[in-house]
Amino acid sequence: MPLASQAQRANDFEIAEALFQAGNYEKAAELFEKLYQTNATQIFVVERLRESWFQLRAFDKLIPFLQKELARQKSGGAKIAMKLQLAQCFIEKNEREKADAVLNTLCDDCAMLAQFRSVIFALQRGKFYEYVVKTAQQARQAMGNQTLFADESAEAFVLLGRYKEATDEFLKVLRDDVADFSKVQAQILSYASKSNPTVLKETLAAMEQARDRFPASTLGRQFLSQLLTQLYIESGNIEGAFEETAARDKFMGARGAQLLGFARTALDQKEVSIARRAYQKIIADAEDVAFVQRAKLGLARVLEREADLQPASRNEKLQQAVNAYRDYEQTYWLTMDMPDVLLSWAMLEFQKLGNLDAATVTAKRLLERFYESQPARAAEVLLAKIKLEKNEFNGLAQSLTTLANHPNASPEIRAEAAFTLARVQFYEHRFEEALKTVSDVDVARNAGNDALELRLSLIEAFGDTARNPASLESLKSYADAMRLIAQKKFVDAKAMLEAMRALFPTSKLLDDALMQKGRLDENTSPAQAAQTYDDLVKAYPKSFYADRALWRLADLSETELKDKAKAADAYERLLRDYPRSFHAKDARERLRKLKETS
């Protein structure tokens, strides 16, 4: 070829490629076709020309072109890609039989595993999932291995919505000791869920039938058992989950480790009775001292949960939990988790039993024995809260300031200390200091929401002082009421909150007062609390508390007052008027269940 012609061809190629990259497929196709006519063997030109025509949907040109090229091509990746594109052309023209005829020839030249793999990969990219399955079957027949491409087949069946066959393939995957269990787990749980009970039941049945085909010593059997446990939990069969976990613990020789993990999960999901059984089994079997020790601590936490769920025996259960913590300290007093145990014990005495002196004694014992530990810093915050409740403010702000800036305290503890300091400043009417302190609390921490609530109340009150001379007095009144709540003088606090409406009718803090009153009402009269929350939303629909008040109104109506109609109405109002609320997701789910049962 003359040099001038070569230069012109190179120039045309550069222009054509630039047009292709810019999405100008029509002009690109014209130049690539011209280049093809002068040299039909340059594979890159062939690729660009067929892709340009496909983008232009020029199927009448592309189909004969592909057929011609396929006749010239030898086996390989380029031929597979052309066949797939030819099939796509026929599909686009609604000529499915011709497309199927092409796809059925994909493996004609396959003799080795790598060739089958190339075909399956290309089919996956083209989303020809039915043919992924067919090709896997052809590979199995050709290679004499019925587990080949089980992973690819399973994924294809999932995407085709053929879940029973997907499960069968995933079971083949699990027989491989190097299987990606997390991937298999995620795929199965994506379709076997309580939202699809028929599929969940079908999947469970298939796995139960396959269980005996997996030798106990294999990883596959362990993975299958873990999956079964999760599916039992998903289906609500907690007893089945417990039995499966106990069996897995035994055949793995785990000596209680599997049961311990299961008990924690059950406790997190409020399946308290089954968590108790798991902990008790670990203790009864006594196969590992360390696991028995953790199970005893777990039982103490079970007792705390049972106290929350059984109001009639609440104090009895809490006292049993205290005894369990005491026994644990006496038996395992040198263990690494003792600081956490003492902190849990002190928190129980303070938060749930209201035994301030007992909480103080336990917290101080923690400080004496483990002063450098993180739980010791939390104990210091707890002691400050006890002083606050006892109305012992002398030196309290200084100690909290030190703790809020303690270099060895965790961010969570520093945030809690800072918020508690802001409360002290607030109760003492040092409002500017309180605002500065609370503004520095990280909202991502556990104390963040309460800190934000206090900060907004302060900003709201300060912003109203120029317009409303009584604003500062209403803020003082609100702070006094909150101080009474902190000291558990609820009757006096409620009276003060109620009086604010008459004393300061234009105060910006009346919605805050109503929210606090509603919280107090919940302890004595759920019906009154529901009314208070309803009043808040109606009077202050743009309040920071409005969506929260509606959520509490709905929850109380449903769970305490058993008024489904009122609950449904409140959930609907929440979703309609506050669609971005933190509670919107739960409200939608609760409303769905209410409608299903009504």
Side-chain angles (χ1 to χ4, degrees):
M1 181 182 293
L3 290 176
S5 297
Q6 289 181 11
Q8 180 61 47
R9 179 178 175 82
N11 184 57
D12 287 347
F13 181 84
E14 289 181 7
I15 294 171
E17 179 63 13
L19 289 166
F20 182 87
Q21 294 296 337
N24 190 342
Y25 300 115
E26 188 173 356
K27 293 293 185 183
E30 289 177 7
L31 284 174
F32 281 127
E33 187 174 15
K34 177 182 173 183
L35 290 166
Y36 176 77
Q37 288 169 353
T38 60
N39 183 0
T41 61
Q42 193 170 0
I43 189 64
F44 193 77
V45 171
V46 172
E47 295 297 308
R48 283 292 191 252
L49 179 56
R50 68 184 182 84
E51 187 57 33
S52 295
W53 276 338
F54 189 81
Q55 293 294 332
L56 293 167
R57 301 181 64 81
F59 303 128
D60 291 336
K61 282 186 175 182
L62 183 53
I63 288 172
F65 174 77
L66 288 170
Q67 290 170 331
K68 176 184 173 183
E69 284 299 313
L70 282 168
R72 296 190 322 113
Q73 290 286 334
K74 295 181 180 180
S75 61
K79 190 169 186 178
I80 293 170
M82 287 184 188
K83 284 186 176 183
L84 285 175
Q85 192 170 59
L86 180 58
Q88 286 173 321
C89 290
F90 285 130
I91 289 170
E92 292 292 335
K93 294 187 69 178
N94 293 319
E95 296 178 359
R96 185 71 205 199
E97 288 185 5
K98 291 182 179 180
D100 289 338
V102 174
L103 291 169
N104 283 326
T105 67
L106 280 171
C107 294
D108 286 355
D109 300 318
C110 294
M112 296 184 294
L113 188 62
Q115 293 171 317
F116 283 108
R117 183 172 286 110
S118 296
V119 172
I120 285 177
F121 180 67
L123 287 165
Q124 285 176 318
R125 285 196 304 173
K127 299 182 180 179
F128 292 105
Y129 302 120
E130 290 183 10
Y131 282 90
V132 169
V133 174
K134 286 185 179 181
T135 302
Q137 292 297 332
Q138 287 177 285
R140 290 171 183 179
Q141 291 174 6
M143 300 291 135
N145 184 344
Q146 293 305 305
T147 64
L148 282 177
F149 302 113
D151 198 0
E152 292 81 358
S153 294
E155 288 185 25
F157 279 128
V158 170
L159 291 165
L160 290 167
R162 294 160 60 180
Y163 301 124
K164 185 177 186 304
E165 291 154 300
T167 301
D168 291 339
E169 293 297 323
F170 280 128
L171 286 168
K172 292 176 184 176
V173 174
L174 288 178
R175 292 197 185 103
D176 187 346
D177 279 348
V178 294
D180 185 347
F181 173 65
S182 60
K183 181 180 176 182
V184 173
Q185 177 188 46
Q187 288 273 27
I188 290 177
L189 294 177
S190 72
Y191 61 82
S193 65
K194 56 188 173 187
S195 61
N196 199 344
T198 302
V199 173
L200 176 56
K201 184 178 179 181
E202 188 178 72
T203 305
L204 263 171
M207 291 194 161
E208 287 170 337
Q209 290 172 7
R211 186 164 39 193
D212 294 337
R213 299 200 295 270
F214 283 76
S217 59
T218 63
L219 279 174
R221 177 67 181 91
Q222 295 175 27
F223 290 155
L224 177 60
S225 180
Q226 290 177 43
L227 261 173
L228 272 167
T229 300
Q230 287 182 291
L231 291 173
Y232 282 133
I233 292 172
E234 183 72 12
S235 68
N237 183 0
I238 304 301
E239 179 67 29
F242 171 69
E243 295 296 339
E244 183 62 36
T245 303
R248 182 170 68 253
D249 195 273
K250 186 175 181 179
F251 72 67
M252 285 179 63
R255 302 167 64 83
Q258 294 292 314
L259 278 167
L260 192 67
F262 171 76
R264 288 170 178 163
T265 300
L267 198 56
D268 288 342
Q269 296 184 0
K270 299 182 180 179
E271 296 291 346
V272 181
S273 62
I274 209 77
R276 172 185 275 277
R277 284 182 59 193
Y279 285 131
Q280 287 174 331
K281 181 170 175 54
I282 296 168
I283 295 168
D285 291 347
E287 294 187 78
D288 187 288
V289 173
F291 294 141
V292 169
Q293 173 188 328
R294 293 177 192 174
K296 287 183 177 179
L297 184 57
L299 273 178
R301 288 166 182 159
V302 163
L303 285 162
E304 286 198 60
R305 292 291 180 88
E306 287 177 339
D308 294 336
L309 297 171
Q310 302 171 21
S313 58
R314 181 178 184 275
N315 288 341
E316 179 187 349
K317 291 287 184 182
L318 289 175
Q319 193 55 56
Q320 288 175 5
V322 167
N323 294 337
Y325 283 129
R326 183 179 292 111
D327 291 344
Y328 190 89
E329 182 188 15
Q330 292 171 352
T331 308
Y332 306 107
W333 67 285
L334 287 176
T335 57
M336 294 289 289
D337 58 3
M338 187 51 62
D340 292 303
V341 172
L342 290 171
L343 180 61
S344 296
W345 181 359
M347 294 295 288
L348 186 159
E349 295 278 14
F350 172 67
Q351 292 180 336
K352 297 184 177 180
L353 286 171
N355 294 335
L356 303 189
D357 292 340
T360 300
V361 169
T362 305
K364 285 183 176 179
R365 190 159 70 253
L366 166 55
L367 285 169
E368 289 168 4
R369 292 182 56 191
F370 308 100
Y371 185 78
E372 298 301 325
S373 67
Q374 281 299 313
R377 303 287 76 76
E380 288 178 320
V381 176
L382 175 59
L383 287 169
K385 290 179 179 179
I386 292 171
K387 285 186 175 182
L388 192 155
E389 186 168 328
K390 288 182 172 181
N391 206 25
E392 297 173 359
F393 278 52
N394 186 32
L396 189 53
Q398 182 56 50
S399 62
L400 283 167
T401 300
T402 302
L403 187 54
N405 296 284
H406 198 296
N408 295 328
S410 70
E412 279 290 353
I413 293 172
R414 288 201 298 270
E416 188 66 37
F419 174 61
T420 306
L421 172 61
R423 288 172 61 200
V424 170
Q425 293 165 336
F426 180 62
Y427 299 153
E428 293 183 328
H429 298 178
R430 293 152 54 193
F431 299 129
E432 290 185 4
E433 292 177 67
L435 180 58
K436 183 179 184 302
T437 303
V438 82
S439 296
D440 291 335
V441 176
D442 186 352
V443 295
R445 303 298 168 188
N446 291 333
N449 282 339
D450 291 334
L452 178 62
E453 191 173 306
L454 177 57
R455 181 170 177 266
L456 289 175
S457 296
L458 286 164
I459 290 173
E460 205 169 30
F462 283 149
D464 193 38
T465 51
R467 183 186 63 83
N468 185 358
S471 178
L472 185 58
E473 290 305 313
S474 71
L475 180 58
K476 289 179 180 179
S477 183
Y478 180 66
D480 291 343
M482 295 301 292
R483 182 169 180 166
L484 289 169
I485 291 173
Q487 294 163 14
K488 293 186 168 52
K489 298 177 180 178
F490 301 131
V491 174
D492 293 340
K494 183 176 174 181
M496 187 168 285
L497 291 168
E498 288 174 336
M500 282 184 65
R501 301 182 75 174
L503 292 171
F504 311 105
T506 61
S507 172
K508 292 285 187 180
L509 295 173
L510 293 183
D511 58 332
D512 301 72
L514 278 172
M515 191 68 195
Q516 296 302 334
K517 178 180 177 296
R519 290 166 175 166
L520 293 176
D521 286 335
E522 286 195 42
N523 297 323
T524 55
S525 171
Q528 183 58 54
Q531 185 59 55
T532 301
Y533 291 133
D534 201 17
D535 291 344
L536 191 161
V537 177
K538 288 175 179 175
Y540 308 101
K542 294 183 179 180
S543 167
F544 169 73
Y545 302 101
D547 67 314
R548 238 180 297 184
L550 261 179
W551 169 255
R552 293 306 306 138
L553 168 60
D555 181 62
L556 288 169
S557 298
E558 180 182 2
T559 60
E560 297 290 335
L561 306 178
K562 309 301 180 184
D563 189 337
K564 292 185 177 181
K566 190 173 182 179
D569 177 67
Y571 288 133
E572 287 172 349
R573 286 162 62 192
L574 175 59
L575 293 171
R576 182 187 66 239
D577 299 337
Y578 309 97
R580 296 184 180 180
S581 168
F582 173 79
H583 300 290
K585 181 180 178 182
D586 290 332
R588 189 173 291 107
E589 179 64 18
R590 292 257 195 116
L591 180 60
R592 182 186 65 79
K593 289 181 178 177
L594 277 177
K595 289 183 175 179
E596 286 177 354
T597 57
S598 61

